[in-house]
Amino acid sequence: MRSFCLFISILILFMSCTKQRIDAEVNDFFYFTNDGSDMPVWVEGSTVSKTMIVLLHGGPGGSSQYYNNVLTSFTSPLENDYLMVYYDQRGAGTSQGHYSKSDLTLEQFNDDLDKLITLLKYKYEVDYLILMGHSWGGLIGTSYLLDGKNNDRVNGWIEIDGAHNWFPFPDLYNTFDSIANQQILLNNSVSFWNDVLGEINKVSDKNNPTKLEVSKINSLGFDAEVVLTDDNQIERGIVYKNDVKYHNLFSGYNAITADVNLLVTSSVLGMFNYLYDNKFNFTPRVNEITIPVMLNWGEFDLIVPKSIAIDTYDNLGTPIDKKEGYIYKVSGHSPMINQPQIMVENIKLFIEEKVK
Amino acid sequence: MIKQKYLFFILLLFCFNIVGAQNKNKRDTIFKLKKNKEISFFKQAINPYLDYGVSFYSHYLLKPGFEFSVSKNIKNKNKEILYYKKKKSKLSKKNISTWLSINNSYYFHPQNHSGVRLFTSIKRKLSYGNKLSFSYGFTLGVLRSFLGETYEVTDAGEVKELKWYGRFYGTLGALLDISYPVSINNKYNFRPFLSSEIYSVFPYNNFISANFNTQLGVRFYIKKK
């Protein structure tokens, strides 16, 4: 009995001497539930600068974990300086719950984001909260900021090839046409680009393509990016294969759920008809956004053409000394894959000089 | 209130097992009947009336869990075929049986969801002599997910932490199973098995999701005196 008491005393003494965790590094996970959807949230990075970046992933139906655990060459350097928030939107990644198709609206996505920001501000002490949206995330972020009150809740907006003009026609066809002709002149994958031109010429009304034509040009955009990468027009970028394996096997990620979510949410079972019918275009309204804004676009973006970035930059309500625009010359729709280092440097510069 | 609901649910799961186990009284009579009439050339241990299973349950590759099952043999059919090969005859004994099971599985998948699943399965088992058995079948059940730390923000902006948060889903799946008896006699038998199941979870978000699991375990039958 005496030796047992001695052991317990030593144990208590040892535990009381254990070094306290320094809260500069955060690695938190929790769920956030709203209107039928349970959305996973990962908060990772440094709290020292009291600056939080909330990442709005692509899609609809993508996954924040792709950015967090696979595109580590992009997100890890940001986590060194800032607190990164990755969350899977409703119907995306490993989010779950019960809701109807009619709950997959932009208003609902904005409400989810608004409540998540409330929760983040409640849980963490931050001086600066910045939104960063890629592709579909650009549509959510822009529409969120266009709700007047939300300009005050967010300190900065970083948009990466954002689809805030979801129906970029005929601009997208013109971009395809221009890049195809340029590549044919360079003698790069000539047969592929001739096929592309053939497909474009089949479209009867380039201002108002049908659902099938929109779907086809979208898929052709991703195919073209692979061809451009093989022809060394786009930087291949760094995606660590071991990261992908680790991510799929050992993390909380469930690739089957994430793939089914992507398939359902991005298709006619999910949001495609809603997006096509509404043809969201927020470019004419970006003058209502007055907070610091950074636009990042790939030169070879064949999903959301760079002409949208140029129009947006010109129309923003943000003062000239508080906005930045970058076109990444050897990038496609995802410059954070193709040119992560330079993009991270630009983002840090923007936050330190324009936001703070 | 939520905690009470959870406790009630756990109690319900255990009740299912107890109810299954209480059928043992009937077992001997029916079993003997089957033995005499239908499976005369098989050792009785192949198809007992009730058997139990316990297994390590691997949810989505490497996420651990475990499962308990109670299975009831509801139908038996024997086939005996005499083959002639190079002047030698060989008797092939094949038994096709149908089983109804109640299963409880528990799995831990942090950062996705952990879950408790209660489901029934109906399986057809093909047994060759006293050796290898193959089964295939369908499952139907209920899944209760557990998400861990979960927050909700009201329209008024109030933050609430929800305890024991999760949801109920339906599950529908298909399974394949292989087992091999290592110890058979009239009193007990142990059959290690390897099984794999793919199942849909519904309604999941606004449609369905899919999942799979692999199980390595043992089914056993112990005859009471």
Side-chain angles (χ1 to χ4, degrees), chain A residues 266-312:
Chain A
S266 63
S267 70
V268 290
L269 293 168
M271 298 195 73
F272 185 76
N273 285 344
Y274 165 78
L275 291 169
Y276 183 86
D277 294 343
N278 284 284
K279 297 183 175 60
F280 293 105
N281 180 9
F282 292 124
T283 311
R285 285 187 58 202
V286 291
N287 61 323
E288 294 169 38
I289 298 174
T290 52
I291 60 169
V293 174
M294 179 194 194
L295 302 173
N296 301 273
W297 245 261
E299 173 74 24
F300 293 101
D301 189 344
L302 288 165
I303 308 295
V304 187
K306 70 175 180 183
S307 55
I308 289 177
I310 295 162
D311 287 350
T312 304

Side-chain angles (χ1 to χ4, degrees), chain A residues 94-158:
Chain A
T94 51
S95 71
Q96 48 207 279
H98 299 313
Y99 51 83
S100 69
K101 191 176 166 183
S102 60
D103 291 322
L104 288 170
T105 62
L106 210 46
E107 291 78 17
Q108 185 61 63
F109 279 82
N110 287 344
D111 185 58
D112 293 342
L113 177 59
D114 194 46
K115 286 179 176 163
L116 176 65
I117 289 172
T118 303
L119 173 61
L120 292 168
K121 286 186 172 180
Y122 169 83
K123 269 181 79 76
Y124 301 94
E125 194 186 340
V126 286
D127 291 340
Y128 303 97
L129 191 143
I130 297 160
L131 293 181
M132 178 160 73
H134 171 229
S135 190
W136 156 257
L139 177 62
I140 297 178
T142 307
S143 74
Y144 178 74
L145 291 171
L146 288 175
D147 186 344
K149 66 176 185 184
N150 296 330
N151 265 297
D152 301 332
R153 302 200 77 201
V154 178
N155 304 97
W157 168 227
I158 299 169

Side-chain angles (χ1 to χ4, degrees), chain A residues 29-34 36-38 40 42 65 91-92 94-101 104 111 115 118-119 122-123 248-257 260-261 264-265 269-270, chain B residues 59-63 109-113 145-160 162 165-170 198 202-212:
Chain A
F29 173 79
F30 52 88
Y31 266 90
F32 159 64
T33 183
N34 188 37
S37 181
D38 307 326
W42 292 261
Q65 287 306 283
T94 51
S95 71
Q96 48 207 279
H98 299 313
Y99 51 83
S100 69
K101 191 176 166 183
L104 288 170
D111 185 58
K115 286 179 176 163
T118 303
L119 173 61
Y122 169 83
K123 269 181 79 76
N248 285 343
L249 287 175
F250 298 105
S251 73
Y253 191 70
N254 183 328
I256 297 177
T257 298
V260 173
N261 275 342
V264 171
T265 308
L269 293 168
Chain B
H59 171 74
Y60 189 70
L61 291 180
L62 296 176
K63 310 304 181 297
H109 191 161
Q111 301 195 9
N112 184 10
H113 65 244
S145 66
F146 292 94
L147 300 184
E149 187 182 348
T150 305
Y151 295 92
E152 183 183 35
V153 179
T154 64
D155 289 339
E158 188 193 346
V159 176
K160 287 180 185 170
L162 309 173
Y165 184 77
R167 289 177 194 271
F168 283 99
Y169 299 95
I198 182 156
F202 58 89
Y204 197 90
N205 289 332
N206 69 315
F207 195 53
I208 59 167
S209 186
N211 251 313
F212 70 94

Side-chain angles (χ1 to χ4, degrees), chain B residues 156-218:
Chain B
E158 188 193 346
V159 176
K160 287 180 185 170
E161 185 172 0
L162 309 173
K163 300 283 181 195
W164 295 107
Y165 184 77
R167 289 177 194 271
F168 283 99
Y169 299 95
T171 68
L172 179 68
L175 59 83
L176 282 174
D177 178 309
I178 182 168
S179 67
Y180 190 88
V182 289
S183 173
I184 296 180
N185 61 39
N186 287 340
K187 291 179 182 174
Y188 61 88
N189 77 72
F190 289 96
R191 300 186 312 282
F193 71 94
L194 180 68
S195 146
S196 196
E197 183 195 1
I198 182 156
Y199 61 94
S200 60
V201 183
F202 58 89
Y204 197 90
N205 289 332
N206 69 315
F207 195 53
I208 59 167
S209 186
N211 251 313
F212 70 94
N213 66 60
T214 309
Q215 291 176 57
L216 184 63
V218 64

